[in-house]
């Protein structure tokens, strides 16, 4: 198994771009990318096929690189309060510092976020699948708060569509302070002067930065 420390920054970046094109419908790669694939000998290393697609090993390496990058963005945006542009630029540097295993700790600390600040999905890690909880995460879904606990909305996992429109119509936005009132039978929370009751599925779209 190839570890992060075995990859150069340039190799990671090229694999990430290929993964985004194949898995997320990103833009087609131009001749410069093909030249990089040849220069880095990615085909010889078994990461890119003769047709220019990621192999199974290449997909795994790229997925882990994408995960580190988007977790780094989430960390910078949620804990450091950086805007999307700064978070993107700084994440490019920070992701290369997330050694094997540290990304799992960051993910657990942030409450296993599902999307980056730009709304793109963060590939799951083992910690997400087993939901290990070694400490109360700083950022967690709304229903992860205790009744009476307050926090600030860090981000909405629903970035578009019907669910996002529901939040807009409620007047619930990132940066708003809220307090969880109860968890059952529906999730009830106070935001501003208003009291809202939502089902657990909708509540899971609201990620809150705990106070204190």
């Amino acid at each position: 198994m190839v570890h992060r420390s075995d990859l150069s920054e340039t190799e990671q970046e090229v694999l990430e771009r290929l993964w985004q094109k194949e898995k997320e419908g990103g833009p087609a790669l131009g001749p410069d990318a093909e030249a990089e694939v040849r220069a880095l000998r990615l085909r010889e290393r078994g990461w890119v096929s003769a047709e220019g697609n990621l192999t199974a090993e290449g997909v795994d390496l790229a997925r882990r690189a994408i995960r580190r990058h988007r977790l780094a963005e989430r960390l910078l945006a949620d804990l450091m309060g950086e805007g999307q542009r700064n978070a993107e630029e700084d994440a490019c540097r920070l992701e290369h510092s997330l050694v094997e295993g540290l990304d799992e700790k960051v993910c657990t600390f942030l409450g296993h976020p599902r999307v980056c600040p730009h709304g793109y999905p963060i590939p799951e890690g083992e910690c997400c699948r087993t939901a290990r909880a070694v400490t109360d995460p700083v950022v967690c879904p709304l229903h992860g708060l205790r009744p009476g606990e307050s926090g600030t909305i860090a981000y909405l996992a629903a970035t578009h569509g019907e669910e996002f429109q529901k939040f807009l119509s409620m007047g619930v936005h990132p940066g708003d302070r809220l307090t969880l009132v109860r968890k059952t039978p529906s999730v009830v929370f106070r935001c501003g002067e208003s009291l809202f009751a939502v089902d657990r599925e909708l509540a899971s779209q609201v990620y809150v930065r705990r106070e204190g």
Side-chain angles (χ1 to χ4, degrees):
M1 180 180 182
V2 180
H3 293 283
R4 190 217 80 70
S5 57
D6 298 325
L7 298 175
S8 70
E9 292 186 14
T10 304
E11 288 169 341
Q12 288 186 72
E13 289 166 2
V14 173
L15 290 173
E16 285 179 36
R17 279 151 49 200
L18 286 168
W19 192 91
Q20 288 173 304
K21 179 180 74 71
E22 294 180 20
K23 303 298 182 181
E24 298 180 340
L29 303 182
D32 289 346
E34 174 59 29
E36 287 179 305
V37 168
R38 289 198 303 272
L40 296 170
R41 304 182 67 230
L42 300 185
R43 289 191 177 89
E44 290 88 338
R45 302 182 73 172
W47 301 341
V48 176
S49 70
E51 293 76 24
N53 300 317
L54 290 171
T55 63
E57 185 176 8
V59 165
D60 181 61
L61 289 171
R63 184 192 62 80
R64 285 189 279 152
I66 286 284
R67 173 171 162 78
R68 286 191 299 271
H69 181 92
R70 292 178 180 173
L71 281 173
E73 286 185 298
R74 195 78 267 171
L75 180 67
L76 291 167
D78 293 344
L79 295 189
M80 306 302 290
E82 293 197 9
Q84 286 188 358
R85 181 181 297 275
N86 288 341
E88 167 70 26
E89 294 173 355
D90 290 343
C92 291
R93 293 186 288 270
L94 180 59
E95 68 169 295
H96 302 294
S97 301
L98 295 182
V99 296
E100 210 72 40
L102 182 56
D103 55 337
E104 299 283 278
K105 294 179 180 179
V106 168
C107 186
T108 298
F109 186 63
L110 293 175
H112 310 288
R114 288 181 290 175
V115 296
C116 74
H118 303 86
Y120 294 112
I122 298 175
E124 283 191 342
E126 182 60 28
C127 65
C128 304
R129 291 185 284 271
T130 58
R132 291 195 299 266
V134 297
T135 184
D136 283 342
V138 171
V139 178
C140 68
L142 172 59
H143 59 74
L145 296 178
R146 303 176 184 87
E149 191 174 5
S150 300
T152 302
I153 300 176
Y155 65 94
L156 302 174
T159 57
H160 59 276
E162 184 179 344
E163 290 181 334
F164 188 64
Q165 292 303 318
K166 286 181 181 178
F167 291 123
L168 292 181
S169 64
M170 292 162 60
V172 174
H173 308 92
D176 290 346
R177 185 177 183 274
L178 56 73
T179 300
L180 181 68
V181 177
R182 69 166 188 260
K183 296 186 179 184
T184 58
S186 57
V187 178
V188 178
F189 65 97
R190 184 178 300 280
C191 187
E193 300 300 320
S194 301
L195 202 64
F196 301 101
V198 298
D199 60 33
R200 190 179 180 89
E201 183 177 355
L202 193 60
S204 69
Q205 304 293 318
V206 183
Y207 277 72
V208 181
R209 183 184 297 108
R210 281 186 158 104
E211 292 184 347

